[in-house]
Amino acid sequence: MTNTIRQNVSLKTYNTFGIEVSCKNFTKIVDEIQLPNLFKEGQFSGEFFVLGGGSNVLFTQDYHGLIVQMGNKGITHFIEGNFIYITAKAGEVWNDFIWYCVERDFGGVENMALIPGTVGASPIQNIGAYGTELMDVFYSCQAFDTTTGEFTTFHNNDCAFTYRDSIFKSKYKGRFIITSVTYKLHLHHKINTSYGAINMELQKRGISSPTIRDIAEVVSHIRVEKLPDPSTIGNAGSFFKNPVIPTKVFDELQKIYPDMIFYTIDENRVKLAAGWMIEACGWKGKIDGNVAIWKNQALVITNLGNASGSEIYLTSSKIMNDVYKKFGIKLEREVNIL
């Protein structure tokens, strides 16, 4: 299969912030076999960036290299013993994969319904929501090594998963292109309603014994209520990671801020709600030039229509500075900055 490389392509429709930037070269991958061809042509010897749904990236300037957009599709599964193995191509929309599972009553990913983006991006930052993380269901992925031109397989233990992180964001950042992901789900899945927001919505609906579909629908409803639709309001979902701090540090903070929202990870670590801290600094609903913080969720930065990537980045820096001044906590951006 030959590769079509287009020049000077606008990326406005390829990033959910809707930032008007362009790239020098652009190619779309509809079949993995295109990747070895690109390698032979020397396309990976220069600057390149792999783009999925564009929901986790902020372009602050024109991109002077090659944008590789993953658009390969297909989902298959088989059942072996008590487990279901589902393989999805990297270009599949994440939520389409979720509903492939829900429609077949395959449980384990329903708490991650409506997370924006594609399947291929899911292992990179170990996506997660409402008590479930990608690492809980990840079995393996196929990836293309842009330094050798070979395909390789990574299993769960190879990926060094931690909170919103993996080996693909650290040691191997920019080296591998994920082409498909295989998930391992349990046939006898136990519904996870550990988050209060899910239980509250289930009670509203009069549901006492929720199904996998119920959880997916409730989570989708909560996300729609809290988060703006990127097709009408430019955003990349949660802009910041929830910081993880030592329990001793948290104990001191809690004395000053008894209402602080937190989640205990283990006896030594606590995860803080970044959105709560941002709101406590007065940013929720605030407008900063062409940029605004979403009125229903302070973790979300939005483009009011004409913001540049640099403006959004500057606003995020102001938020980070305010949180640090007030709480002594350094927030980290979850979004890739280019």
Side-chain angles (χ1 to χ4, degrees):
M1 181 176 285
T2 57
N3 299 300
T4 302
I5 303 215
R6 296 155 56 201
Q7 276 80 41
N8 302 316
V9 174
S10 168
L11 297 174
K12 185 170 184 176
T13 59
Y14 293 104
N15 73 96
T16 58
F17 264 120
I19 304 296
E20 181 56 274
V21 289
S22 64
C23 64
K24 184 179 179 183
N25 296 305
F26 181 97
T27 189
K28 183 173 182 177
I29 302 300
V30 294
D31 191 309
E32 301 91 282
I33 200 63
Q34 291 171 259
L35 294 171
N37 293 339
L38 285 172
F39 176 80
K40 289 170 189 170
E41 293 166 8
Q43 297 292 346
F44 297 123
S45 58
E47 188 180 9
F48 69 93
F49 181 75
V50 181
L51 197 62
S55 61
N56 196 43
V57 63
L58 175 65
F59 288 101
T60 59
Q61 59 188 346
D62 288 339
Y63 190 73
H64 300 296
L66 171 69
I67 292 288
V68 180
Q69 198 210 11
M70 297 303 290
N72 55 335
K73 303 277 188 177
I75 306 177
T76 58
H77 76 269
F78 68 90
I79 297 171
E80 188 176 88
N82 287 321
F83 296 99
I84 310 149
Y85 296 85
I86 308 162
T87 299
K89 299 285 189 181
E92 284 286 347
V93 173
W94 173 257
N95 203 47
D96 289 348
F97 160 70
I98 295 292
W99 282 95
Y100 177 95
C101 297
V102 172
E103 296 290 350
R104 290 159 178 79
D105 206 32
F106 297 162
V109 294
E110 61 278 358
N111 290 53
M112 294 188 281
L114 217 61
I115 292 178
T118 56
V119 162
S122 66
I124 296 173
Q125 67 164 30
N126 183 25
I127 62 170
Y130 299 105
T132 303
E133 289 189 313
L134 187 281
M135 62 186 285
D136 302 329
V137 296
F138 178 92
Y139 180 71
S140 67
C141 68
Q142 184 190 58
F144 180 76
D145 189 341
T146 61
T147 64
T148 66
E150 302 291 329
F151 287 96
T152 188
T153 299
F154 288 87
H155 288 90
N156 196 307
N157 291 337
D158 302 324
C159 297
F161 288 124
T162 56
Y163 173 65
R164 299 297 173 271
D165 205 2
S166 72
I167 203 165
F168 303 111
K169 280 185 78 173
S170 52
K171 181 181 178 181
Y172 291 144
K173 186 172 183 178
R175 175 173 168 178
F176 288 92
I177 298 175
I178 294 172
T179 57
S180 67
V181 182
T182 299
Y183 305 90
K184 182 181 179 182
L185 308 183
H186 205 288
L187 264 179
H188 309 293
H189 168 64
K190 187 179 178 183
I191 298 287
N192 179 357
T193 59
S194 59
Y195 267 66
I198 293 177
N199 280 315
M200 284 172 60
E201 186 59 33
L202 288 170
Q203 285 173 19
K204 277 186 197 173
R205 299 180 181 210
I207 300 170
S208 56
S209 299
T211 63
I212 291 163
R213 178 181 290 272
D214 289 332
I215 298 297
E217 289 177 349
V218 162
V219 167
S220 299
H221 173 79
I222 294 168
R223 292 187 73 91
V224 168
E225 289 280 298
K226 286 172 63 176
L227 305 174
D229 181 354
S231 67
T232 55
I233 300 169
N235 76 94
S238 297
F239 197 92
F240 301 101
K241 295 180 184 179
N242 288 320
V244 175
I245 64 170
T247 302
K248 288 181 180 178
V249 175
F250 169 71
D251 290 342
E252 293 304 310
L253 272 173
Q254 196 179 35
K255 290 174 187 175
I256 307 167
Y257 305 103
D259 297 332
M260 177 174 263
I261 295 174
F262 69 97
Y263 312 98
T264 301
I265 296 175
D266 53 41
E267 61 182 15
N268 299 314
R269 297 176 301 155
V270 171
K271 187 198 299 182
L272 301 181
W276 183 90
M277 292 189 287
I278 294 166
E279 185 174 349
C281 291
W283 277 97
K284 189 176 181 180
K286 187 173 180 178
I287 295 173
D288 185 30
N290 291 309
V291 181
I293 311 309
W294 186 239
K295 62 182 187 289
N296 297 334
Q297 173 51 272
L299 269 181
V300 179
I301 299 177
T302 66
N303 178 0
L304 291 177
N306 298 307
S308 67
S310 297
E311 285 179 279
I312 292 170
Y313 184 83
L314 180 60
T315 298
S316 72
S317 295
K318 292 177 185 176
I319 292 169
M320 292 167 76
N321 288 338
D322 284 357
V323 168
Y324 185 73
K325 282 180 196 171
K326 189 174 182 73
F327 299 102
I329 301 291
K330 290 183 178 179
L331 291 184
E332 281 186 64
R333 297 176 181 91
E334 191 171 314
V335 172
N336 287 303
I337 310 295
L338 288 179

